[in-house]
Structures are given as C-alpha cells and as structure tokens.
Amino acid sequence: MAQNAPGVITCKAAVIRQIGGQVTVEEIKVEPPQTGEVRIKMLCASICHTDVLACKGFPIPLFPRVPGHEGVGMIENVGKDVGGGLKPGDIVMPLYLGECGECLNCKTGKTNLCHTYPPPFSGLMNDGTSRMSIAKTGERLYHFTSCSTWSEYAVVDFNYVLKLDPKMPLPHASFLSCGFTTGFGAPSREAQVHKGSTVAVFGLGTVGLGVINGSKMQGASKIIGVDINNKKEAKGKLFGMTDFINPKDHPNKSTSELVKDITHGLGVDYCFECTGVPSLLNEALDASKFGIGTVVPIGAGGGPNVAINSLTLFSGRTLKFTSFGGVRTRSDLPIILQKCLNKEIELDELLTHEIHLDNIQEAFEILKKPDCLKILINF
C-alpha cells in the first residue's frame, strides 16, 4: 500500500540491481512531478520481451533500475505546464515515443521517430535527475525509457502519455502500449503490405500475432506463421494466419526453403522476423522474393551487431527496421485503440497469465511455458 509524505509517495516497485540479477520488489520513494510531468498510479502492467532484455542491460546497462514499459494507470498528480488537457483522474498509457507533429520527421508522415520526443535511453528525466529512489537508502533509481511501469507509481513526461477512453479494457490497453501494436502497425506503416500479397511471420508471440492481424487487415492473401511451438498454430489461425510451419518437423530443410515450398519456390513479398534470433534474420531475407522482397526485423535480440549475408541484399531485397511498428503515438495509436473498442481487433486471446507485482520474479519462469503469451501484472 502506497503512503503519502509531503509530495513524496512511498510505494512498491520491481527493482533490478545488476545484469542478470533477480528482480526484487522493494519500497521506493516517488517524487512529485516537476514541470511538464505527471505522476501516474499504475492500474496494471504487462511484460514484453524487451523488459527481459532490460534486465540484461539493454539498451544501456543502467542500474539499479525499475523495468517495465507496458501498462495503464490513472493520473494522480500533475506538474506545472502540463498540456494535452491531462488532469488527475485521467486514465492514461505511458509510452516510450512521443510525437510533436512539428519536427522534420513528424511532418513527413513517414516515420514515428520524432526529433523532439525520441525514445529516452538515459534513464533520467529531462532535467538529468530521477524521480525514484530506494526508500531505505535514498539510492537513485534509473527509469526504463520514459515508463518504468513495474511500480505502483511512476512519473512520466506528459509528452510521452496518451489519454485513453475509460471504456477501454485495461489489459487490452496495456498490451497495446508496445508488443501487439508494434506487430500490428508494421505491415501498414513500415512494409506497406498490399492486397493479395504473401507474408511470412517468424515467431508467433504477441508481436508476431499482431503482424498476422495487421497483414490480414491489409488484405494479404497468404500469411505463413513460423514457430517451433505447435501450440502457436491455433492462436495464429485466430488472428488470420493461413499456413503454419514448425521447422522442427523438417530437420533437413532450412526455414527459408520451407517458406518457398508453399510459395511456388518464390518466397514471400514480405517477411517479418519477430524472434530476435540473429541467425533467423538471414533466413527471413532468403525467404523473401528475389528482387522485390521486403524484410522487417521486429524482435530485439539484445546484441549490438547482427551478421547479414550481403548476397541476399545484393539480390534486390529491402531490409527495413522498425520501432513500435512505425506507429505514431498521436496520429495512429488512437485509431488502433478505437478498433479495439469497436471489436475489430480482439485481444482477449493474448492474456494467458496474471500475477501480482509482489510475485514478479515468477513471471520469468511463466514466460518459458509453451502456452504463455501475455502476463498481466496487477497492483
């Protein structure tokens, strides 16, 4: 239970202290929001693969830190000069990208990477300080991006906050704050998947299922799901997959060969690599069409470098990386949220497990279960 002191809140948060260390729940102090900031009481959060990487030091090894970048909360307090009509009581989604609408990138409409509000990797607020500290010792805690949602309270720059319709189911909103949206947006925003095209998706976790759903809405005629877990086949079909490949069932063939076997030897127009396994990036390139194939890597592998077979690129293929699926947080994300409210996108199938923040360490074992997709963290 959080406790209030003059302007400071003492509450529980998940804390990681070193690369590969255990995530422990500790009492922390969360300071009041400063100019342009809001303090959010988290209502629920969820776990994304990037959070696992964050515990291993991705993208920058800043410790101790409070992980978490998916979640939904209610504004408890606002600092000075907070815009967007945000006020206490609003249900909001913290984000790791902003959109100013005025910078060169925003004006092109081609990218969601804003010059003014880029992904913040310093682990600190705009003034170079943290709003979180260990309650007993006063030791500074680093934020994870602009979010740190694995805490009962979090302070976020208002430019990285999106107000939600109160009718939006909280678990769905949490899943849309990174994983599913990243996959769903990539076919339209990054690859421009066209009607009647062929698509392959490597890895049928939440991101991969989002790619399948987004490709279906773009009108793709064949959507091939690739995963070594046969339990993912049924989930894939629910989201629009037409064909399924388990490479383990074909030990004498490469994944790219298996994709070509069901595309008349040509490969696919678009291939999305959602696992982050370095070797699969070259397989994804080989699985795309000679001369015109497009490959979009989405899964974060955690390593600084990836080896690419240049011959596949010399063959006219396009390699296009993405952040948040190219989805702009002001222009596009509200449309996706509305589709969910309209039941055009069904997210109930994603929720497989729930835990309480106190049991956060258990989540890392649950993630290894073959039936696990999304874990909801309750506070």
Side-chain angles (χ1 to χ4, degrees), residues 117-137:
Y117 307 120
F121 293 134
S122 71
L124 302 172
M125 304 300 289
N126 287 336
D127 62 0
T129 65
S130 173
R131 300 291 173 268
M132 302 180 296
S133 60
I134 299 295
K136 287 185 178 179
T137 64

Side-chain angles (χ1 to χ4, degrees), residues 246-254 257-258:
N246 184 339
K248 284 190 172 181
D249 295 338
H250 310 274
N252 298 320
K253 285 193 173 184
S254 67
E257 289 173 324
L258 295 170

Side-chain angles (χ1 to χ4, degrees), residues 165-187:
D165 186 324
K167 297 192 294 291
M168 184 75 192
L170 297 182
H172 293 184
S174 187
F175 302 158
L176 288 171
S177 55
C178 182
F180 188 85
T181 296
T182 298
F184 183 84

Side-chain angles (χ1 to χ4, degrees), residues 38 75 78 81-88 90 92 158 163:
V38 298
I75 293 179
V78 298
D81 300 328
V82 167
L86 296 173
K87 62 185 184 303
D90 285 343
V92 296
F158 87 91
K163 184 177 178 178

Side-chain angles (χ1 to χ4, degrees), residues 63-353:
F63 297 99
R65 73 176 7 157
V66 175
H69 66 290
E70 291 188 344
V72 180
M74 181 177 67
I75 293 179
E76 172 266 342
N77 196 359
V78 298
K80 295 179 180 178
D81 300 328
V82 167
L86 296 173
K87 62 185 184 303
D90 285 343
I91 305 299
V92 296
M93 176 192 293
L95 298 163
Y96 58 90
L97 289 174
E99 181 188 349
C100 74
E102 297 296 329
C103 72
L104 179 63
N105 275 9
C106 285
K107 285 184 176 179
T108 67
K110 296 178 180 180
T111 178
N112 63 344
L113 295 177
C114 173
H115 285 300
T116 309
Y117 307 120
F121 293 134
S122 71
L124 302 172
M125 304 300 289
N126 287 336
D127 62 0
T129 65
S130 173
R131 300 291 173 268
M132 302 180 296
S133 60
I134 299 295
K136 287 185 178 179
T137 64
E139 182 181 9
R140 179 174 71 177
L141 285 163
Y142 285 99
H143 301 252
F144 180 49
T145 68
S146 48
C147 303
S148 288
T149 56
W150 295 4
S151 172
E152 291 179 322
Y153 285 83
V155 175
V156 182
D157 183 320
F158 87 91
N159 293 292
Y160 295 85
V161 171
L162 182 67
K163 184 177 178 178
L164 301 177
D165 186 324
K167 297 192 294 291
M168 184 75 192
L170 297 182
H172 293 184
S174 187
F175 302 158
L176 288 171
S177 55
C178 182
F180 188 85
T181 296
T182 298
F184 183 84
S188 59
R189 287 289 303 163
E190 298 288 18
Q192 288 85 52
V193 167
H194 62 276
K195 187 175 182 180
S197 62
T198 53
V199 173
V201 183
F202 288 15
L204 303 187
T206 300
V207 174
L209 294 176
V211 172
I212 289 172
N213 206 189
S215 298
K216 177 184 177 183
M217 288 197 173
Q218 287 293 108
S221 60
K222 181 181 281 291
I223 305 172
I224 305 164
V226 180
D227 204 289
I228 59 173
N229 179 358
N230 283 324
K231 289 182 178 291
K232 298 294 181 69
E233 182 175 5
K235 291 285 188 182
K237 288 181 177 178
L238 285 172
F239 284 88
M241 182 183 73
T242 60
D243 302 82
F244 179 73
I245 295 171
N246 184 339
K248 284 190 172 181
D249 295 338
H250 310 274
N252 298 320
K253 285 193 173 184
S254 67
T255 302
S256 57
E257 289 173 324
L258 295 170
V259 171
K260 289 177 179 177
D261 283 347
I262 55 177
T263 54
H264 309 290
L266 297 174
V268 292
D269 295 299
Y270 307 96
C271 190
F272 297 84
E273 204 299 287
C274 305
T275 70
V277 177
S279 62
L280 286 181
L281 182 53
N282 284 302
E283 284 296 312
L285 283 163
D286 285 333
S288 68
K289 285 181 177 177
F290 176 86
I292 59 173
T294 296
V295 175
V296 181
I298 301 179
N305 300 300
V306 178
I308 297 174
N309 182 350
S310 60
L311 287 177
T312 56
L313 294 180
F314 292 155
S315 299
R317 295 169 170 95
T318 298
L319 182 61
K320 178 76 163 67
F321 285 79
T322 183
S323 178
F324 201 42
V327 172
R328 296 167 294 177
T329 55
R330 305 294 178 194
S331 302
D332 304 319
L333 186 52
I335 296 172
I336 296 174
L337 290 163
Q338 190 59 48
K339 286 181 182 293
C340 290
L341 282 172
N342 296 342
K343 302 297 183 182
E344 298 172 55
I345 302 173
E346 291 285 356
L347 298 182
D348 289 332
E349 290 292 331
L350 295 180
L351 177 57
T352 55
H353 297 83

